[in-house]
Amino acid sequence: MKKILLVVDMQNDFISGALGSNEAKAIVENATERVKDFDGEVIFTRDTHFENYEQTQEGRKLPVRHCIKDTYGWEVCDELKTLPVYEKSRKIDKLTFGSDELAVFVKEEKPDEVYLLGLCTDICVISNAMLVKAFSPETEVTVFADSCAGVTPDSHKTALDAMKMCQINIIGE
């Protein structure tokens, strides 16, 4: 049975940096424990932008510089980056909310189960969960709610509810 844990954008800028929040800080310990104890392949995504961020569509709609490649804010948080699994894991740098590289990977690999955790529930977690479901419809998809945080607590809950409606399992609420 092939199992994958997708750790979505657990980067410094989303935890304590430019777009950080208390909710994001609060899930780091849960996320670290889930990654440390996971029995399967672990994949980390990194939201990745460049110096021209302000000239991109996202930069014009969200004018907060964040996750600029090779900066401290772009890096995965130390709690996860220092785990032994991090060095041997696949890293996917994504230029937008969902990862086309991830979608192709799950379509080819057809894992039995994909678990997701990370930031932000209402943007990148939901985008990637839906891509996994679309590109590998027979894969069981599960989101660890207690290891995710949204832009706001309300938008976190709304995203979880939307994923439930799309036959994505939600555990740890």
Side-chain angles (χ1 to χ4, degrees):
M1 177 172 275
K2 183 166 179 76
K3 297 190 314 183
I4 295 172
L5 174 60
L6 183 59
V7 181
V8 179
D9 300 357
M10 288 293 293
Q11 295 162 273
N12 293 315
D13 269 348
F14 291 127
I15 298 168
S16 57
L19 294 171
S21 68
N22 289 331
E23 291 82 11
K25 290 175 191 169
I27 67 154
V28 172
E29 187 176 335
N30 284 347
T32 302
E33 288 303 311
R34 291 201 186 273
V35 172
K36 190 167 43 173
D37 295 337
F38 190 72
D39 181 28
E41 181 176 359
V42 178
I43 298 173
F44 288 83
T45 69
R46 294 180 292 211
D47 190 39
T48 302
H49 301 293
F50 303 95
E51 289 301 322
N52 70 337
Y53 176 73
E54 291 83 1
Q55 284 76 53
T56 67
Q57 182 178 8
E58 181 179 329
R60 290 187 297 275
K61 293 183 180 215
L62 176 66
V64 179
R65 283 177 63 89
H66 65 282
C67 299
I68 306 299
K69 187 174 174 99
D70 297 326
T71 65
Y72 176 76
W74 173 77
E75 293 177 12
V76 170
C77 68
D78 287 341
E79 292 85 348
L80 292 169
K81 195 169 67 174
T82 56
L83 293 176
V85 69
Y86 183 77
E87 281 306 313
K88 62 183 178 183
S89 68
R90 174 188 299 262
K91 282 83 170 176
I92 296 176
D93 295 339
K94 55 187 192 56
L95 305 179
T96 187
F97 308 129
S99 169
D100 55 347
E101 181 180 338
L102 174 67
V104 169
F105 176 77
V106 297
K107 184 176 184 172
E108 292 170 354
E109 293 292 316
K110 295 179 179 41
D112 299 295
E113 299 174 353
V114 172
Y115 297 85
L116 293 94
L117 60 82
L119 302 166
C120 294
T121 318
D122 43 349
I123 302 172
C124 294
V125 174
I126 192 172
S127 295
N128 285 290
M130 296 300 287
L131 281 170
V132 170
K133 200 69 175 154
F135 278 75
S136 188
E138 293 305 313
T139 295
E140 197 72 30
V141 180
T142 301
V143 172
F144 293 119
D146 62 356
S147 300
C148 291
V151 173
T152 68
D154 286 342
S155 62
H156 168 77
K157 181 172 180 349
T158 299
L160 294 174
D161 290 343
M163 288 186 278
K164 282 181 198 174
M165 294 301 295
C166 294
Q167 301 175 359
I168 293 170
N169 305 311
I170 308 297
I171 59 175
E173 282 186 89

